[in-house]
Amino acid sequence: MNYDQALDAAINRLHEEGRYRTFIDIERRKGQFPHAVWKKPDGTEQDITVWCGNDYLGMGQHPVVLTAMTEALEATGAGSGGTRNISGTTVYHKRLEAELADLHGKDAALVFTSAYIANDATLSTLPKLFPGLITYSDELNHASMIEGIRRNGGAKRIFKHNDLADLRAKLEADDPAAPKLIAFESVYSMDGDFGPIEEIVALAEEFGALTYLDEVHAVGMYGPRGGGVSEKLGIAHRVDIINGTLGKAYGVMGGYIAASARMCDAVRSYAPGFIFTTSIPPAVAAGAAASVRHLKTDQGLRDLHQERAKVLKLRLKGLGLPIIDHGSHIVPVIVGDPVHTKKISDMLLSEFGIYVQPINFPTVPRGTERLRFTPSPVHDPKSVDALVHAMDALWSHCALNRAELSA
Protein backbone atom coordinates (compact mmCIF):
# COMPACT_ATOMS: atom_id res chain seq x y z
CA MET A 1 0.00 0.00 0.00
CA ASN A 2 1.05 3.57 -0.69
CA TYR A 3 0.44 4.94 2.80
CA ASP A 4 1.02 8.57 1.91
CA GLN A 5 -1.47 8.30 -0.94
CA ALA A 6 -4.07 6.78 1.40
CA LEU A 7 -3.58 9.58 3.90
CA ASP A 8 -3.91 12.21 1.16
CA ALA A 9 -7.12 10.59 -0.07
CA ALA A 10 -8.60 10.56 3.44
CA ILE A 11 -7.78 14.24 4.01
CA ASN A 12 -8.99 15.23 0.55
CA ARG A 13 -12.38 13.64 1.23
CA LEU A 14 -12.82 16.02 4.15
CA HIS A 15 -11.85 18.99 2.00
CA GLU A 16 -14.30 17.96 -0.75
CA GLU A 17 -17.15 17.63 1.76
CA GLY A 18 -16.31 20.96 3.38
CA ARG A 19 -15.60 19.19 6.69
CA TYR A 20 -11.85 19.73 7.00
CA ARG A 21 -11.15 21.36 10.35
CA THR A 22 -8.51 24.03 10.76
CA PHE A 23 -6.94 25.15 14.01
CA ILE A 24 -7.08 28.87 14.68
CA ASP A 25 -4.06 29.97 16.69
CA ILE A 26 -5.43 32.20 19.43
CA GLU A 27 -3.80 33.60 22.54
CA ARG A 28 -6.03 34.19 25.53
CA ARG A 29 -4.96 37.21 27.55
CA LYS A 30 -5.17 37.09 31.33
CA GLY A 31 -7.97 39.27 32.63
CA GLN A 32 -9.32 40.09 29.15
CA PHE A 33 -11.42 37.04 28.26
CA PRO A 34 -13.45 36.68 26.02
CA HIS A 35 -11.11 38.98 24.10
CA ALA A 36 -8.03 37.31 22.66
CA VAL A 37 -5.46 37.67 19.88
CA TRP A 38 -5.52 35.73 16.62
CA LYS A 39 -2.03 34.79 15.50
CA LYS A 40 -2.40 34.73 11.72
CA PRO A 41 -0.34 32.40 9.50
CA ASP A 42 1.34 35.44 7.91
CA GLY A 43 2.73 36.48 11.30
CA THR A 44 0.35 39.38 11.90
CA GLU A 45 -2.08 39.63 14.79
CA GLN A 46 -5.74 40.60 15.10
CA ASP A 47 -7.82 41.29 18.19
CA ILE A 48 -10.82 38.96 18.35
CA THR A 49 -13.70 38.03 20.63
CA VAL A 50 -14.13 34.31 21.34
CA TRP A 51 -17.75 33.17 21.02
CA CYS A 52 -17.31 29.39 20.92
CA GLY A 53 -15.38 28.67 24.11
CA ASN A 54 -16.61 26.25 26.76
CA ASP A 55 -15.23 28.35 29.62
CA TYR A 56 -18.89 29.16 30.17
CA LEU A 57 -18.53 31.35 33.25
CA GLY A 58 -15.09 32.83 32.61
CA MET A 59 -13.65 30.95 35.59
CA GLY A 60 -10.45 30.27 33.68
CA GLN A 61 -9.61 33.91 34.36
CA HIS A 62 -11.07 34.21 37.87
CA PRO A 63 -8.67 35.46 40.57
CA VAL A 64 -9.79 32.74 43.00
CA VAL A 65 -8.72 30.06 40.52
CA LEU A 66 -5.48 31.74 39.47
CA THR A 67 -4.42 32.33 43.06
CA ALA A 68 -5.03 28.72 44.04
CA MET A 69 -3.09 27.44 41.04
CA THR A 70 -0.20 29.81 41.62
CA GLU A 71 0.11 28.83 45.27
CA ALA A 72 -0.01 25.11 44.43
CA LEU A 73 2.53 25.53 41.65
CA GLU A 74 4.93 27.33 43.97
CA ALA A 75 4.44 24.67 46.64
CA THR A 76 4.62 21.51 44.50
CA GLY A 77 6.08 22.24 41.08
CA ALA A 78 4.61 21.33 37.71
CA GLY A 79 3.60 17.69 37.32
CA SER A 80 2.03 15.11 39.58
CA GLY A 81 4.84 12.62 39.09
CA GLY A 82 2.82 9.55 38.17
CA THR A 83 -0.43 7.69 38.18
CA ARG A 84 -2.69 7.87 41.21
CA ASN A 85 -1.56 4.40 42.24
CA ILE A 86 2.15 5.20 42.11
CA SER A 87 2.92 8.75 43.20
CA GLY A 88 0.26 10.91 41.60
CA THR A 89 -2.12 11.20 44.53
CA THR A 90 -1.64 14.41 46.49
CA VAL A 91 -3.57 16.37 49.07
CA TYR A 92 -4.81 18.55 46.19
CA HIS A 93 -6.41 15.59 44.42
CA LYS A 94 -8.09 14.44 47.61
CA ARG A 95 -9.41 17.93 48.35
CA LEU A 96 -10.82 18.20 44.83
CA GLU A 97 -12.59 14.86 45.10
CA ALA A 98 -14.04 15.86 48.46
CA GLU A 99 -15.39 19.09 46.94
CA LEU A 100 -16.95 17.16 44.06
CA ALA A 101 -18.52 14.52 46.28
CA ASP A 102 -20.02 17.30 48.40
CA LEU A 103 -21.22 19.14 45.28
CA HIS A 104 -23.34 16.19 44.18
CA GLY A 105 -24.29 14.87 47.61
CA LYS A 106 -22.38 11.64 47.01
CA ASP A 107 -20.09 9.60 49.23
CA ALA A 108 -17.12 9.90 46.88
CA ALA A 109 -15.77 11.20 43.59
CA LEU A 110 -13.01 10.07 41.27
CA VAL A 111 -11.01 12.52 39.14
CA PHE A 112 -9.77 11.66 35.63
CA THR A 113 -7.68 13.62 33.15
CA SER A 114 -10.82 14.59 31.21
CA ALA A 115 -14.56 14.02 31.20
CA TYR A 116 -14.07 12.06 27.96
CA ILE A 117 -11.77 9.64 29.74
CA ALA A 118 -14.09 9.52 32.76
CA ASN A 119 -16.99 8.48 30.53
CA ASP A 120 -14.98 6.07 28.41
CA ALA A 121 -13.16 4.44 31.32
CA THR A 122 -16.21 4.09 33.57
CA LEU A 123 -18.71 2.89 30.97
CA SER A 124 -16.23 0.41 29.50
CA THR A 125 -15.49 -0.98 32.97
CA LEU A 126 -18.99 -1.45 34.40
CA PRO A 127 -19.67 -4.83 32.71
CA LYS A 128 -16.59 -6.19 34.49
CA LEU A 129 -18.29 -5.25 37.74
CA PHE A 130 -21.79 -6.36 36.71
CA PRO A 131 -21.54 -9.44 34.43
CA GLY A 132 -24.33 -9.54 31.87
CA LEU A 133 -24.93 -5.79 32.10
CA ILE A 134 -27.24 -4.31 29.45
CA THR A 135 -26.62 -0.63 28.72
CA TYR A 136 -29.42 1.58 27.39
CA SER A 137 -27.94 4.65 25.68
CA ASP A 138 -29.62 7.77 24.30
CA GLU A 139 -28.87 7.99 20.59
CA LEU A 140 -27.46 11.52 20.96
CA ASN A 141 -25.06 10.73 23.79
CA HIS A 142 -21.58 12.21 23.57
CA ALA A 143 -18.90 10.36 21.60
CA SER A 144 -17.07 9.48 24.83
CA MET A 145 -20.14 7.68 26.16
CA ILE A 146 -20.69 5.89 22.87
CA GLU A 147 -17.06 4.78 22.79
CA GLY A 148 -17.11 3.50 26.36
CA ILE A 149 -20.31 1.56 25.76
CA ARG A 150 -19.02 0.20 22.45
CA ARG A 151 -15.85 -1.07 24.05
CA ASN A 152 -17.37 -2.61 27.15
CA GLY A 153 -18.25 -5.90 25.49
CA GLY A 154 -21.73 -6.01 27.01
CA ALA A 155 -25.14 -5.85 25.41
CA LYS A 156 -26.38 -2.40 24.43
CA ARG A 157 -29.66 -0.87 23.39
CA ILE A 158 -29.85 2.54 21.69
CA PHE A 159 -33.09 4.39 22.42
CA LYS A 160 -34.45 7.32 20.46
CA HIS A 161 -33.40 10.70 21.79
CA ASN A 162 -35.34 11.61 24.94
CA ASP A 163 -37.99 9.05 23.93
CA LEU A 164 -39.35 7.53 27.15
CA ALA A 165 -41.73 5.20 25.33
CA ASP A 166 -38.91 3.73 23.28
CA LEU A 167 -36.75 3.35 26.38
CA ARG A 168 -39.57 1.62 28.25
CA ALA A 169 -40.19 -0.76 25.36
CA LYS A 170 -36.53 -1.76 25.29
CA LEU A 171 -36.43 -2.26 29.05
CA GLU A 172 -39.57 -4.39 28.93
CA ALA A 173 -38.13 -6.55 26.15
CA ASP A 174 -35.12 -7.68 28.19
CA ASP A 175 -34.73 -10.21 30.98
CA PRO A 176 -36.05 -8.61 34.19
CA ALA A 177 -33.24 -10.26 36.15
CA ALA A 178 -30.42 -8.88 33.97
CA PRO A 179 -28.37 -5.99 35.40
CA LYS A 180 -29.16 -2.77 33.56
CA LEU A 181 -27.72 0.72 33.15
CA ILE A 182 -29.34 3.77 31.53
CA ALA A 183 -26.82 6.31 30.21
CA PHE A 184 -27.97 9.79 29.22
CA GLU A 185 -27.17 13.51 29.50
CA SER A 186 -28.72 16.46 31.29
CA VAL A 187 -27.89 19.10 28.63
CA TYR A 188 -27.15 17.96 25.09
CA SER A 189 -24.49 20.33 23.86
CA MET A 190 -25.29 20.66 20.16
CA ASP A 191 -29.02 21.53 20.40
CA GLY A 192 -28.99 22.70 24.00
CA ASP A 193 -31.98 20.56 24.97
CA PHE A 194 -32.51 18.86 28.32
CA GLY A 195 -32.79 15.18 29.08
CA PRO A 196 -35.95 14.05 30.94
CA ILE A 197 -33.97 13.20 34.07
CA GLU A 198 -36.86 12.70 36.48
CA GLU A 199 -38.73 10.40 34.11
CA ILE A 200 -35.66 8.33 33.25
CA VAL A 201 -34.75 7.94 36.91
CA ALA A 202 -38.29 6.77 37.62
CA LEU A 203 -38.05 4.20 34.82
CA ALA A 204 -34.70 3.02 36.16
CA GLU A 205 -36.17 2.54 39.61
CA GLU A 206 -39.13 0.66 38.15
CA PHE A 207 -36.90 -1.74 36.20
CA GLY A 208 -34.09 -2.03 38.74
CA ALA A 209 -31.55 -0.25 36.54
CA LEU A 210 -28.59 1.92 37.46
CA THR A 211 -28.45 5.47 36.08
CA TYR A 212 -25.43 7.19 34.56
CA LEU A 213 -25.92 10.92 33.98
CA ASP A 214 -23.50 13.12 32.03
CA GLU A 215 -23.76 16.64 33.50
CA VAL A 216 -20.76 18.01 31.61
CA HIS A 217 -22.61 20.97 30.09
CA ALA A 218 -24.52 21.71 33.30
CA VAL A 219 -22.17 21.51 36.29
CA GLY A 220 -21.33 24.91 37.70
CA MET A 221 -24.21 26.50 35.79
CA TYR A 222 -27.41 24.87 37.07
CA GLY A 223 -28.64 24.14 40.55
CA PRO A 224 -28.34 26.26 43.71
CA ARG A 225 -24.68 25.24 44.14
CA GLY A 226 -23.81 24.39 40.54
CA GLY A 227 -24.44 20.67 40.92
CA GLY A 228 -26.16 20.51 37.55
CA VAL A 229 -29.71 19.94 36.38
CA SER A 230 -30.14 16.95 38.69
CA GLU A 231 -29.42 19.23 41.65
CA LYS A 232 -31.77 21.89 40.29
CA LEU A 233 -34.52 19.25 40.14
CA GLY A 234 -33.64 17.95 43.60
CA ILE A 235 -33.02 14.38 42.43
CA ALA A 236 -29.22 14.04 42.35
CA HIS A 237 -29.47 11.58 45.24
CA ARG A 238 -31.50 9.27 42.99
CA VAL A 239 -28.85 9.19 40.24
CA ASP A 240 -26.26 6.45 40.74
CA ILE A 241 -23.31 7.89 38.81
CA ILE A 242 -22.86 11.54 37.79
CA ASN A 243 -20.19 12.50 35.28
CA GLY A 244 -18.87 16.06 35.09
CA THR A 245 -16.04 18.14 33.74
CA LEU A 246 -13.61 20.63 35.24
CA GLY A 247 -12.74 22.08 31.83
CA LYS A 248 -15.92 23.98 30.99
CA ALA A 249 -17.84 26.00 33.61
CA TYR A 250 -15.04 25.42 36.12
CA GLY A 251 -12.49 26.81 33.70
CA VAL A 252 -9.60 24.41 34.33
CA MET A 253 -9.06 20.81 33.15
CA GLY A 254 -10.11 17.29 34.06
CA GLY A 255 -13.22 15.17 34.49
CA TYR A 256 -14.78 13.04 37.19
CA ILE A 257 -17.50 10.73 38.36
CA ALA A 258 -19.38 11.13 41.63
CA ALA A 259 -21.10 8.10 43.14
CA SER A 260 -21.14 5.84 46.16
CA ALA A 261 -17.81 5.12 47.82
CA ARG A 262 -18.19 1.48 46.79
CA MET A 263 -18.78 2.39 43.12
CA CYS A 264 -15.84 4.79 42.97
CA ASP A 265 -13.58 2.27 44.65
CA ALA A 266 -14.54 -0.43 42.14
CA VAL A 267 -14.02 1.83 39.12
CA ARG A 268 -10.72 3.05 40.58
CA SER A 269 -9.58 -0.53 40.97
CA TYR A 270 -10.68 -1.89 37.58
CA ALA A 271 -10.65 0.91 34.97
CA PRO A 272 -7.46 0.93 32.85
CA GLY A 273 -8.18 4.53 31.83
CA PHE A 274 -7.72 5.50 35.47
CA ILE A 275 -5.08 3.01 36.60
CA PHE A 276 -2.55 3.64 33.85
CA THR A 277 -2.87 7.42 33.36
CA THR A 278 -0.72 10.09 34.98
CA SER A 279 -2.93 12.20 37.24
CA ILE A 280 -3.68 15.86 36.60
CA PRO A 281 -1.03 18.25 38.01
CA PRO A 282 -1.53 19.40 41.61
CA ALA A 283 -1.84 23.02 40.47
CA VAL A 284 -4.69 22.06 38.14
CA ALA A 285 -6.41 20.12 40.93
CA ALA A 286 -6.03 23.10 43.25
CA GLY A 287 -7.50 25.50 40.69
CA ALA A 288 -10.40 23.18 39.97
CA ALA A 289 -11.17 22.72 43.68
CA ALA A 290 -11.14 26.50 44.17
CA SER A 291 -13.48 26.95 41.22
CA VAL A 292 -15.94 24.30 42.42
CA ARG A 293 -15.87 25.78 45.92
CA HIS A 294 -16.43 29.32 44.67
CA LEU A 295 -19.32 28.45 42.38
CA LYS A 296 -21.18 26.71 45.18
CA THR A 297 -22.04 30.19 46.45
CA ASP A 298 -21.85 32.49 43.40
CA GLN A 299 -25.44 32.38 42.19
CA GLY A 300 -25.05 35.86 40.76
CA LEU A 301 -22.63 34.58 38.15
CA ARG A 302 -25.05 31.81 37.15
CA ASP A 303 -27.91 34.30 36.87
CA LEU A 304 -25.86 36.65 34.70
CA HIS A 305 -24.88 33.73 32.47
CA GLN A 306 -28.51 32.83 31.85
CA GLU A 307 -29.37 36.48 31.25
CA ARG A 308 -26.64 36.86 28.61
CA ALA A 309 -27.82 33.72 26.83
CA LYS A 310 -31.45 34.84 26.91
CA VAL A 311 -30.61 38.28 25.50
CA LEU A 312 -28.51 36.83 22.68
CA LYS A 313 -31.22 34.37 21.69
CA LEU A 314 -33.89 37.07 21.70
CA ARG A 315 -31.79 39.37 19.55
CA LEU A 316 -30.86 36.68 17.03
CA LYS A 317 -34.50 35.61 16.83
CA GLY A 318 -35.36 39.25 16.17
CA LEU A 319 -33.18 39.06 13.06
CA GLY A 320 -35.13 36.02 11.89
CA LEU A 321 -32.16 33.69 12.21
CA PRO A 322 -32.88 29.94 12.51
CA ILE A 323 -31.71 29.38 16.07
CA ILE A 324 -32.55 26.43 18.30
CA ASP A 325 -33.85 27.45 21.72
CA HIS A 326 -34.57 24.79 24.32
CA GLY A 327 -34.07 27.17 27.23
CA SER A 328 -30.44 26.34 27.99
CA HIS A 329 -27.35 28.52 27.71
CA ILE A 330 -26.32 27.10 24.32
CA VAL A 331 -27.20 29.12 21.21
CA PRO A 332 -27.00 27.16 17.93
CA VAL A 333 -27.69 28.90 14.61
CA ILE A 334 -28.46 26.39 11.87
CA VAL A 335 -26.82 26.99 8.48
CA GLY A 336 -27.39 23.53 7.01
CA ASP A 337 -24.36 23.17 4.76
CA PRO A 338 -20.72 22.56 5.75
CA VAL A 339 -19.19 24.80 3.08
CA HIS A 340 -21.50 27.71 3.88
CA THR A 341 -21.02 27.26 7.62
CA LYS A 342 -17.25 27.42 7.22
CA LYS A 343 -17.53 30.45 4.94
CA ILE A 344 -19.60 32.40 7.46
CA SER A 345 -17.22 31.38 10.25
CA ASP A 346 -14.24 32.61 8.21
CA MET A 347 -15.92 35.91 7.38
CA LEU A 348 -16.92 36.53 10.99
CA LEU A 349 -13.29 36.10 11.97
CA SER A 350 -11.56 38.02 9.20
CA GLU A 351 -14.07 40.87 8.79
CA PHE A 352 -15.50 41.29 12.28
CA GLY A 353 -12.95 39.78 14.67
CA ILE A 354 -15.53 37.27 15.94
CA TYR A 355 -14.33 33.72 16.47
CA VAL A 356 -16.87 30.88 16.28
CA GLN A 357 -15.97 27.48 14.88
CA PRO A 358 -18.30 25.69 12.45
CA ILE A 359 -19.93 22.51 13.78
CA ASN A 360 -20.19 19.83 11.10
CA PHE A 361 -20.78 16.09 10.70
CA PRO A 362 -20.09 13.78 12.53
CA THR A 363 -20.59 16.07 15.55
CA VAL A 364 -24.06 16.89 14.22
CA PRO A 365 -26.14 15.16 11.50
CA ARG A 366 -25.57 16.18 7.89
CA GLY A 367 -27.85 19.01 6.88
CA THR A 368 -27.83 20.52 10.37
CA GLU A 369 -24.41 22.16 10.25
CA ARG A 370 -24.31 25.17 12.51
CA LEU A 371 -22.55 27.93 14.34
CA ARG A 372 -22.73 27.30 18.08
CA PHE A 373 -22.45 30.41 20.22
CA THR A 374 -21.68 30.15 23.93
CA PRO A 375 -22.39 33.46 25.68
CA SER A 376 -20.87 33.94 29.11
CA PRO A 377 -21.07 36.51 31.92
CA VAL A 378 -17.91 38.14 30.56
CA HIS A 379 -19.49 38.79 27.16
CA ASP A 380 -20.59 42.34 27.89
CA PRO A 381 -23.41 44.17 26.04
CA LYS A 382 -20.90 45.74 23.67
CA SER A 383 -19.66 42.30 22.62
CA VAL A 384 -23.24 41.10 22.15
CA ASP A 385 -24.01 44.15 20.00
CA ALA A 386 -20.97 43.47 17.81
CA LEU A 387 -21.97 39.84 17.28
CA VAL A 388 -25.60 40.65 16.46
CA HIS A 389 -24.62 43.35 13.97
CA ALA A 390 -22.08 41.05 12.31
CA MET A 391 -24.59 38.21 11.97
CA ASP A 392 -27.18 40.61 10.58
CA ALA A 393 -24.74 41.86 7.96
CA LEU A 394 -23.54 38.42 6.92
CA TRP A 395 -26.95 36.77 6.90
CA SER A 396 -28.49 39.59 4.90
CA HIS A 397 -25.76 39.78 2.30
CA CYS A 398 -24.35 36.28 2.24
CA ALA A 399 -26.19 33.54 4.06
CA LEU A 400 -29.28 33.88 1.89
CA ASN A 401 -27.17 34.06 -1.24
CA ARG A 402 -25.73 30.57 -1.61
CA ALA A 403 -24.00 31.44 -4.84
CA GLU A 404 -22.06 34.22 -3.17
CA LEU A 405 -21.13 32.02 -0.23
CA SER A 406 -19.84 29.34 -2.59
CA ALA A 407 -17.76 31.78 -4.60
Side-chain angles (χ1 to χ4, degrees), residues 84-106:
R84 292 289 295 276
N85 291 323
I86 296 177
S87 62
T89 296
T90 70
V91 64
Y92 299 99
H93 296 86
K94 300 300 287 185
R95 288 173 184 166
L96 173 56
E97 288 174 341
E99 288 286 353
L100 293 168
D102 172 75
L103 175 67
H104 295 292
K106 300 298 183 186

Side-chain angles (χ1 to χ4, degrees), residues 112-130:
F112 295 76
T113 51
S114 72
Y116 187 108
I117 297 300
N119 272 336
D120 184 21
T122 303
L123 288 167
S124 64
T125 296
L126 290 177
K128 300 175 187 176
L129 308 175
F130 308 108

Side-chain angles (χ1 to χ4, degrees), residues 84 93-126 129-130 144-145 181 183-184 210-216 219 227 230 236 239-246 250 253-271 273-275 280 292:
R84 292 289 295 276
H93 296 86
K94 300 300 287 185
R95 288 173 184 166
L96 173 56
E97 288 174 341
E99 288 286 353
L100 293 168
D102 172 75
L103 175 67
H104 295 292
K106 300 298 183 186
D107 297 332
L110 194 62
V111 171
F112 295 76
T113 51
S114 72
Y116 187 108
I117 297 300
N119 272 336
D120 184 21
T122 303
L123 288 167
S124 64
T125 296
L126 290 177
L129 308 175
F130 308 108
S144 57
M145 301 174 76
L181 173 79
F184 61 110
L210 296 171
T211 45
Y212 187 101
L213 176 62
D214 182 309
E215 289 261 34
V216 161
V219 290
S230 59
V239 178
D240 294 292
I241 305 172
I242 294 175
N243 167 272
T245 184
L246 305 169
Y250 292 120
M253 175 191 173
Y256 64 90
I257 60 168
S260 68
R262 186 179 289 107
M263 180 70 76
C264 288
D265 191 27
V267 172
R268 176 189 70 83
S269 301
Y270 279 86
F274 179 85
I275 296 170
I280 62 174
V292 173

Side-chain angles (χ1 to χ4, degrees), residues 314-350:
L314 284 173
R315 296 193 62 182
L316 292 179
K317 284 180 183 178
L319 297 178
L321 300 190
I323 80 165
I324 299 175
D325 183 6
H326 290 289
S328 75
H329 59 283
I330 293 169
V331 187
V333 177
I334 303 299
V335 180
D337 179 272
V339 174
H340 302 149
T341 308
K342 180 65 165 62
K343 187 72 173 178
I344 294 175
S345 171
D346 289 345
M347 294 171 74
L348 282 170
L349 183 63
S350 61

Side-chain angles (χ1 to χ4, degrees), residues 33-34 49-52 308 374-384:
F33 186 76
T49 301
V50 178
W51 274 100
C52 58
R308 291 280 193 266
T374 53
S376 74
V378 292
H379 285 93
D380 59 23
K382 183 178 179 181
S383 298
V384 174

